[in-house]
Amino acid sequence: MRSLSIDILKIILAFFVMFLHMHLLRNVYPSLSYVLVNGLFRTAVPVFLIITGYYFYFVDDIGKLKKWLVRVFILYAIWTVIYIPLWKEKDSYISNIIFGFHHLWYLIGTFFSGIVLFAFRKISVKILFSLILFFLLWLCHPVFGKRALF
């Protein structure tokens, strides 16, 4: 299922990501650059995640899940192979494959998130909210201080 409007939005968002990494106008107009880079352009990844979730909504049986996972994994595998020449000796190859090389985290994260979402799709909202609250408190606990969110 394609949507021309969403495709155009994804093209614009791709430019946002590119401009974000370029620190557009940093040397010429530092204040404007700050607003754009740390404001407008940072909306790209969350909007990409929302778009991914929109398309994942239609994955409602195991057959569709397998097809969706294969498509995401093939995309991830192709880009991983393309980026292998950029890996450095100090890089952990296993870490690069499991978590993605730099910006490839998005694809492998999407892959694993799809599995989790599909597994949790029939769990009640109360239980899901309780799990979210538990993990938030766990992450913010002083014992896990290095992982604290705030």
Side-chain angles (χ1 to χ4, degrees):
M1 175 172 107
R2 298 293 301 250
S3 167
L4 181 59
S5 299
I6 292 176
D7 288 344
I8 291 170
L9 177 60
K10 289 190 301 186
I11 291 168
I12 293 168
L13 293 172
F15 278 102
F16 279 14
V17 171
M18 188 175 64
F19 294 151
L20 172 73
H21 289 288
M22 289 172 42
H23 296 279
L24 188 70
L25 303 173
R26 179 174 39 187
N27 296 329
V28 183
Y29 299 106
S31 296
L32 179 60
S33 174
Y34 181 83
V35 170
L36 291 173
V37 170
N38 293 307
L40 180 64
F41 298 155
R42 292 227 182 254
T43 63
V45 172
V47 174
F48 270 123
L49 289 169
I50 291 167
I51 292 168
T52 301
Y54 169 76
Y55 285 115
F56 188 79
Y57 176 80
F58 301 103
V59 177
D60 55 1
D61 65 40
I62 196 74
K64 289 179 183 176
L65 176 67
K66 287 179 183 177
K67 183 178 178 182
W68 185 86
L69 288 173
V70 166
R71 290 181 68 192
V72 172
F73 184 76
I74 288 172
L75 187 60
Y76 174 71
I78 289 169
W79 281 106
T80 297
V81 168
I82 289 170
Y83 279 102
I84 284 175
L86 299 176
W87 293 6
K88 297 175 180 64
E89 286 187 32
K90 65 180 181 171
D91 289 344
S92 167
Y93 295 117
I94 293 172
S95 178
N96 280 348
I97 291 170
I98 293 172
F99 299 111
F101 177 72
H102 294 284
H103 56 279
L104 294 181
W105 66 267
Y106 184 89
L107 290 171
I108 199 68
T110 299
F111 180 86
F112 288 119
S113 296
I115 293 169
V116 171
L117 283 173
F118 190 80
F120 285 13
R121 75 189 185 286
K122 293 187 180 179
I123 295 177
S124 75
V125 173
K126 287 182 183 179
I127 293 173
L128 290 174
F129 183 76
S130 299
L131 284 170
I132 291 168
L133 190 59
F134 169 77
F135 285 118
L136 179 64
L137 292 173
W138 180 71
L139 285 171
C140 293
H141 191 276
V143 173
F144 306 102
K146 292 183 181 177
R147 292 193 224 162
L149 297 175
F150 308 105

